[in-house]
Amino acid sequence: MKIQSVRGMNDVLPADSSAWQHVHAVAAQVFAAYGYGELRLPVVERTELFKRAVGEVTDVVEKEMYSFEDRGGERLSLRPELTAGVIRAGIEHGILFNQQQRIWCTGPVFRYERPQAGRYRQFHQLDVEAFGIATPDADVEIIAIAAQLWKRLGMSGFQLQINTLGTLPSRAAHRAALIDYLLQHEAALDEDAKRRLHTNPLRVLDSKVPATQAIVEGAPSLLDYLDEPSIAHFDAVKAGLEALGIAYVINPRLVRGLDYYTHTVFEWVTDQLGAQGTVCAGGRYDGLVEQLGGPKTTGVGFGLGIERLILLMAVQQVPVVSNQPQVYICRFGAEAERVALRLSETLRDQLPGLRLVLNAGGGSLKSQLKRADGCGARLALIIGDDEAAAGAVQVKSLRGEGEAFTCSLTELAAELSRRLAL
RNA sequence: GUGGGCGUAGCUCAGUUGGUUAGAGCUCUGGAUUGUGAUUCCAGAGGUCGUGGGUUCGAGUCCCAUCGUCCACCCCA
């Protein structure tokens, strides 16, 4: 019986991993460019953490968490998102108290959902968070980081949608008015909307059912219930984005699935990924640190789905830094094989950036050259006993970059360095 | 969790109303005289037809279950 991978949990094969390496390298560079430090976290946390952070009545916690008891009877869960763990660690190590912290984090997260394109049970996020900055410039900075990441990856076609949920008093006033309005039209609502009317009325605004959408059109808008501080904060965020030339649209129905957001919420969406169009989403969560037992500390950040990003990179045919071999050594004859073996290590010592494959497993020169071509190398180095005796190798271009020529072993490193721009 | 499509060689797929040793292209391996790739020609390797049951004289082909996958809903990154 063949053992298969777990549903919704995918392998990334060597042919595809260069895209992942590229994303990680570019992201790490971008985050560092803004002064963010990487935090590395365990994949498992106490279940209670996510119940308190994400919200006990959210879908994520209610039906999508991988929860279990360990052998000591602890209630644990595979993390369904990164922010909760970042805050837990921040509180635990005392790095959130009375100071600014810029943090990023990445790794696998787990949600028990029905898989489809761009949605998996184990997927990977990049998370960026700024703590201890209450002013809207932090919101702008977080959004700008994502924009900078798109720029450096060479991606386009995103729409930035923003909205504000306002302060807690604003939200409460709007919520009351919204429930009132929806109750008047309850008969025309679909079943989901009726159910959410009391548990999470904001989510009704996001409904895709046409009949419900029609009712939602006339629903009281949160924007009309915002208090002065809420409006000032949102205006400042918009002004910041405009100063940076970052285009956005205001989507008054944009609400987040996780309970902890206040003030600014945003999503970077694309229409090139089918139903899973949100690649990056985030917002401000000023009450969350306190809610998790930490000092009163503001926060703002985003989560980005790496699988969706990589899917979109493929759609947009974004070039990725290659990790294919550059040079392949063909060798035959007992003495030449020994010379080539030593040569390969010498070259790696001399040119640390060189990606070099030494032929192994024998084979005719013809088949060795086929392997050289197949692996994507630009150059083949050919060493038979003739070359070995002469202390030289034949350098052959596999990509139509000039004729083959003989090069002495002493000059080889310099020659490769020049040709490959190492 | 709901509804639907699909699972045949490493990959992309064909397999006619159920009927003998299951096919193609690409990839891979070897060869077309002695040491030169990606083009051409020849040959070869590779599949318990996702898995388990059932119907039948006989199942890749029909039925059931199960696992996986894809799409939409739901939810979200």
Side-chain angles (χ1 to χ4, degrees):
Chain A
M1 181 76 153
K2 190 164 55 177
I3 298 177
Q4 301 174 303
S5 67
V6 175
R7 176 177 195 148
M9 303 199 181
N10 302 121
D11 306 309
V12 178
L13 303 181
D16 303 317
S17 60
S18 58
W20 284 76
Q21 292 176 351
H22 186 245
V23 166
H24 279 290
V26 173
Q29 188 191 56
V30 168
F31 301 154
Y34 287 81
Y36 286 66
E38 184 183 5
L39 177 64
R40 299 202 177 198
L41 296 172
V43 166
V44 175
E45 299 274 2
R46 292 175 199 280
T47 300
E48 183 61 21
L49 173 67
F50 301 115
K51 286 189 175 174
R52 277 162 66 183
V54 176
E56 195 135 13
V57 298
T58 56
D59 279 13
V60 169
V61 166
E62 268 182 337
K63 6 187 228 204
E64 295 177 1
M65 273 213 295
Y66 282 88
S67 297
F68 57 95
E69 249 180 44
D70 73 4
R71 290 173 190 277
E74 301 270 20
R75 297 287 308 154
L76 305 176
S77 295
L78 301 183
R79 58 187 180 190
E81 56 109 55
L82 259 25
T83 303
V86 170
I87 295 176
R88 189 231 85 221
I91 294 170
E92 191 165 334
H93 300 287
I95 60 173
L96 298 182
F97 181 68
N98 198 27
Q99 58 188 304
Q100 292 185 3
Q101 281 292 344
R102 289 176 167 88
I103 291 171
W104 70 277
C105 181
T106 188
V109 297
F110 303 84
R111 292 183 199 172
Y112 189 87
E113 294 187 274
R114 192 85 170 259
Q116 65 191 73
R119 195 173 79 179
Y120 312 102
R121 290 186 173 178
Q122 173 176 327
F123 62 104
H124 298 75
Q125 288 192 337
L126 283 165
D127 220 49
V128 180
E129 323 273 1
F131 294 99
I133 310 171
T135 47
D137 45 6
D139 310 41
V140 173
E141 177 171 296
I142 287 291
I143 293 172
I145 289 173
Q148 180 70 228
L149 185 57
W150 311 148
K151 199 189 299 173
R152 292 204 197 179
L153 285 171
M155 309 193 64
S156 58
F158 285 110
Q159 184 185 60
L160 171 63
Q161 300 187 349
I162 63 171
N163 190 25
T164 180
L165 302 179
T167 57
L168 289 176
S170 290
R171 284 179 71 171
H174 171 251
R175 184 188 156 102
L178 182 61
I179 292 175
D180 201 44
Y181 172 85
L182 291 175
L183 279 174
Q184 287 169 32
H185 299 81
E186 190 172 4
L189 294 174
D190 63 278
E191 289 308 311
D192 269 347
K194 281 179 188 164
R195 182 171 54 79
R196 290 196 196 121
L197 201 162
H198 296 287
T199 57
N200 199 338
L202 271 186
R203 211 82 67 76
V204 177
L205 299 179
D206 220 14
S207 172
K208 287 167 187 165
V209 179
T212 302
Q213 265 181 340
I215 293 168
V216 164
E217 293 290 337
S221 169
L222 176 60
L223 295 175
D224 299 329
Y225 286 80
L226 296 176
D227 55 24
E228 279 305 319
S230 299
I231 292 169
H233 190 101
F234 196 42
D235 284 346
V237 171
K238 288 186 284 189
L241 294 176
E242 277 152 28
L244 289 174
I246 296 175
Y248 63 85
V249 297
I250 295 172
N251 178 357
R253 292 197 216 120
L254 183 64
V255 292
R256 313 269 50 253
L258 313 179
D259 274 355
Y260 48 62
Y261 289 101
T262 56
H263 280 298
T264 316
V265 291
F266 63 87
E267 287 190 7
W268 292 90
V269 301
T270 173
D271 56 10
Q272 296 172 54
L273 287 181
Q276 265 61 51
T278 301
V279 175
C280 174
R284 182 168 276 278
Y285 42 86
D286 288 346
L288 185 56
V289 176
E290 213 175 350
Q291 192 178 311
L292 291 178
K296 196 169 170 56
T297 305
T298 67
V300 56
F302 68 71
L304 179 160
I306 297 179
E307 281 83 355
R308 288 184 187 176
L309 181 67
I310 285 174
L311 239 34
L312 189 59
M313 286 166 65
V315 169
Q316 297 186 358
Q317 299 186 312
V318 170
V320 161
V321 172
S322 161
N323 53 11
Q324 284 187 318
Q326 298 159 304
V327 177
Y328 192 101
I329 299 183
C330 304
R331 52 172 177 159
F332 49 93
E335 177 56 22
E337 291 195 15
R338 274 192 297 276
V339 171
L341 173 62
R342 286 193 295 267
L343 174 64
S344 66
E345 285 305 309
T346 303
L347 286 174
R348 294 191 187 101
D349 286 341
Q350 292 172 317
L351 305 169
L354 177 66
R355 299 188 297 276
L356 168 71
V357 174
L358 175 65
N359 185 74
S364 64
L365 175 58
K366 189 188 193 72
S367 63
Q368 292 191 36
L369 279 167
K370 275 190 179 180
R371 289 173 197 159
D373 184 51
C375 78
R378 274 173 67 185
L379 298 175
L381 302 182
I382 299 170
I383 308 179
D385 285 335
D386 294 351
E387 286 84 359
V393 301
Q394 192 187 138
V395 180
K396 180 183 173 73
S397 167
L398 298 172
R399 311 292 154 200
E401 297 167 309
E403 294 300 304
F405 62 95
T406 301
C407 182
S408 74
L409 291 179
T410 51
E411 289 162 12
L412 186 57
E415 181 64 27
L416 292 179
S417 174
R418 191 179 61 74
R419 291 199 152 232
L420 299 169
L422 290 172

